[in-house]
């Protein structure tokens, strides 16, 4: 069989790593020889996946910035050597600074490069690299700052549709996800509002910061709400299928996991995300009436409680229908994999 080496690179957040990891696993299963490149933060998500780890200095001071740009140069030089030694035939970047050095080195060597943009507002590194990329893929149809082929965002799930569930406010299952970087505002403040809903049959599964687990458990137990509280859930796919409503940040991975399962969600964008891109991720759905959007600055007092009380079965079904109509994505991982097989077929 002809050896085909592909390098996949992603920055250190879950939003970068998970889509890249989905494609990596699909290609390895097909028989491709792949290398995953990320930074130390991204490495923590990869468990037993072998990868090349790039190092960066992070900080806001002048010295930190100078060291960071030095790291960009050194990592680009490091990737030049890796590309040559592995005879890379295609390099795919999923955003982030690790991907910047990896893809830039490939472009200097005239190796074909593909860019995958997850967010509705294009990231800075992808906008620079896209100018010299062979192909650009988008998650959102009208991505701001970038043009390309819209395929949706690769996710880690195995099933891309879920049986529609009728909305029953008296038997409500809520899944709360804080995102890969945690979310203080989606912890204790959110729990304090939910315990005031006074629903006897409400069930809550709540991802929180490790230090908040015991306090939030006690809050729910005090009012008799059935709740599972933990800092991490392994089977997010299963939990999403079982719940009625997702409350979460609007990182691209979470947004598209909800879309692929046609699961109504209330998104609370992380306001300090770079360029406020999480707001634009949620706004793209909200404009099509495919989600509920609540900004963190409005997450106070009775706001959440009032929103949940106003959700009717008709509105719930309307959100499901809007998802199906406006975001009819197939399996992006397989779409990417098929294009790679067309470009670099494995021959006996």
């Amino acid at each position: 069989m002809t050896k085909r080496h592909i390098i996949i690179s992603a920055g250190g957040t879950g939003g970068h790593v998970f889509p890249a990891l989905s494609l990596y696993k699909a290609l390895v299963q097909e028989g491709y020889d792949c290398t995953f490149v990320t930074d130390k933060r991204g490495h923590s998500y990869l468990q037993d996946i072998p990868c090349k780890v790039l190092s960066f200095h992070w900080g806001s001071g002048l010295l930190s910035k100078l060291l960071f740009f030095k790291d960009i140069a050194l990592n680009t030089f490091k990737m030049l050597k890796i590309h040559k030694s592995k005879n890379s035939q295609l390099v795919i970047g999923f955003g982030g600074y690790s991907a910047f050095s990896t893809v830039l080195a490939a472009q200097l060597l005239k190796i074909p490069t593909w860019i995958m943009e997850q967010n509705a507002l294009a990231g800075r590194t992808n906008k620079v690299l896209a100018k010299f990329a062979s192909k650009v893929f988008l998650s959102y149809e009208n991505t701001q700052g970038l043009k390309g082929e819209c395929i949706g965002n690769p996710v880690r799930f195995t099933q891309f549709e879920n049986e529609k569930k009728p909305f029953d406010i008296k038997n409500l299952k809520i899944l709360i996800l804080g995102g890969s970087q945690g979310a203080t505002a989606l912890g204790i403040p959110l729990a304090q509002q939910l315990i005031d809903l006074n629903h006897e049959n409400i069930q809550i599964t709540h991802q929180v910061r490790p230090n908040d687990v015991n306090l939030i458990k006690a809050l729910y137990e005090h009012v008799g709400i059935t709740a599972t509280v933990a800092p991490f859930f392994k089977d997010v796919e299963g939990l999403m299928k079982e719940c009625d409503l997702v409350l979460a940040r609007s990182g691209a991975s979470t947004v598209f996991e909800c879309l692929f399962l046609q699961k109504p969600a209330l998104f609370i964008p992380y306001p300090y995300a770079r360029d406020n891109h999480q707001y634009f991720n949620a706004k793209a759905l909200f404009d099509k009436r495919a989600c509920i959007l609540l900004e963190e600055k409005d997450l106070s007092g009775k706001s959440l409680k009032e929103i949940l009380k106003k959700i009717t079965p008709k509105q719930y079904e309307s959100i499901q229908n809007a998802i199906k109509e406006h975001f009819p994505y197939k399996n992006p991982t397989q779409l990417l994999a098929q294009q790679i097989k067309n470009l670099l077929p494995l021959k006996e």
Side-chain angles (χ1 to χ4, degrees):
M1 182 178 287
T2 303
K3 187 176 181 181
R4 301 294 197 180
H5 190 80
I6 298 169
I7 288 187
I8 297 172
S9 186
T13 68
H16 289 129
V17 171
F18 292 139
L21 184 57
S22 176
L23 179 61
Y24 173 90
K25 289 181 176 179
L27 292 177
V28 170
Q29 189 173 9
E30 291 284 349
Y32 286 90
D33 181 23
C34 298
T35 298
F36 200 107
V37 181
T38 186
D39 60 26
K40 291 179 179 178
R41 300 170 303 157
H43 188 220
S44 65
Y45 296 109
L46 297 176
Q47 299 176 349
D48 298 328
I49 302 295
C51 63
K52 301 290 184 182
V53 179
L54 304 182
S55 296
F56 294 92
H57 286 86
W58 308 105
S60 56
L62 177 60
L63 179 59
S64 293
K65 289 181 179 178
L66 290 173
L67 290 172
F68 173 77
F69 285 111
K70 178 185 176 183
D71 290 336
I72 290 285
L74 290 175
N75 285 324
T76 301
F77 181 72
K78 179 179 179 180
M79 290 311 304
L80 284 169
K81 294 194 290 185
I82 290 175
H83 289 322
K84 289 179 180 178
S85 67
K86 291 187 172 293
N87 189 28
S88 302
Q89 293 173 287
L90 177 65
V91 176
I92 307 170
F94 281 76
Y97 293 112
S98 299
F100 182 81
S101 289
T102 304
V103 174
L104 177 60
Q107 291 177 342
L108 291 173
L109 294 172
K110 308 297 183 184
I111 298 169
T113 57
W114 290 4
I115 299 299
M116 178 70 232
E117 174 57 55
Q118 293 88 39
N119 295 301
L121 179 67
R124 299 178 186 184
T125 59
N126 276 350
K127 284 196 287 187
V128 173
L129 296 168
K131 296 175 182 178
F132 307 100
S134 310
K135 280 193 176 185
V136 176
F137 296 95
L138 308 175
S139 297
Y140 291 86
E141 194 169 287
N142 297 308
T143 300
Q144 297 182 45
L146 210 56
K147 301 292 184 182
E149 180 183 347
C150 181
I151 63 169
N153 188 31
V155 299
R156 50 192 160 167
F157 290 176
T158 56
Q159 181 178 329
F160 289 85
E161 286 188 16
N162 201 20
E163 184 180 347
K164 284 188 177 181
K165 296 179 64 176
F167 184 73
D168 184 0
I169 192 67
K170 295 180 180 179
N171 294 282
L172 189 62
K173 292 182 180 179
I174 297 177
L175 172 63
I176 306 170
L177 300 172
S180 66
Q181 300 180 78
T184 302
L186 269 63
I188 295 172
L190 199 60
Q192 289 172 329
Q193 291 202 46
L194 289 171
I195 62 175
D196 200 30
L197 282 174
N198 297 323
H199 290 318
E200 294 181 2
N201 297 317
I202 190 172
Q203 295 181 43
I204 296 174
T205 302
H206 199 160
Q207 178 199 15
V208 302
R209 290 154 53 97
N211 293 342
D212 295 337
V213 170
N214 291 333
L215 177 55
I216 291 176
K217 276 185 178 179
L219 284 172
Y220 289 134
E221 288 173 1
H222 181 69
V223 295
I225 290 178
T226 301
T228 302
V229 182
F232 178 77
F233 294 110
K234 189 173 182 179
D235 184 21
V236 175
E237 181 176 2
L239 292 173
M240 274 198 180
K241 289 176 182 177
E242 289 299 317
C243 78
D244 299 295
L245 184 70
V246 176
L247 270 64
R249 293 302 197 190
S250 46
S253 289
T254 302
V255 169
F256 276 85
E257 286 166 355
C258 291
L259 287 177
F260 290 134
L261 294 180
Q262 298 181 28
K263 187 65 61 176
L266 190 160
F267 291 120
I268 305 169
Y270 179 55
Y272 307 107
R274 184 181 289 275
D275 300 322
N276 201 20
H277 70 262
Q278 287 203 8
Y279 171 78
F280 293 100
N281 287 347
K283 185 70 162 49
L285 274 67
F286 181 75
D287 288 344
K288 301 292 187 182
R289 299 183 180 181
C291 77
I292 302 168
L293 172 59
L294 178 64
E295 293 190 65
E296 187 173 305
K297 62 184 176 64
D298 299 322
L299 184 61
S300 59
K302 299 179 181 179
S303 59
L304 178 63
K305 183 172 72 172
E306 292 304 315
I307 286 174
L308 291 177
K309 281 187 173 181
K310 289 178 181 178
I311 299 177
T312 63
K314 185 176 180 180
Q315 182 190 14
Y316 187 83
E317 185 178 5
S318 176
I319 292 174
Q320 291 177 314
N321 292 335
I323 291 172
K324 193 167 186 177
E325 178 183 355
H326 297 292
F327 301 93
Y329 299 121
K330 302 301 180 183
N331 187 329
T333 301
Q334 292 304 318
L335 290 174
L336 277 175
Q338 185 58 55
Q339 293 211 29
I340 290 168
K341 286 190 281 187
N342 295 340
L343 178 69
L344 302 172
L346 291 171
K347 298 177 181 178
E348 296 295 338

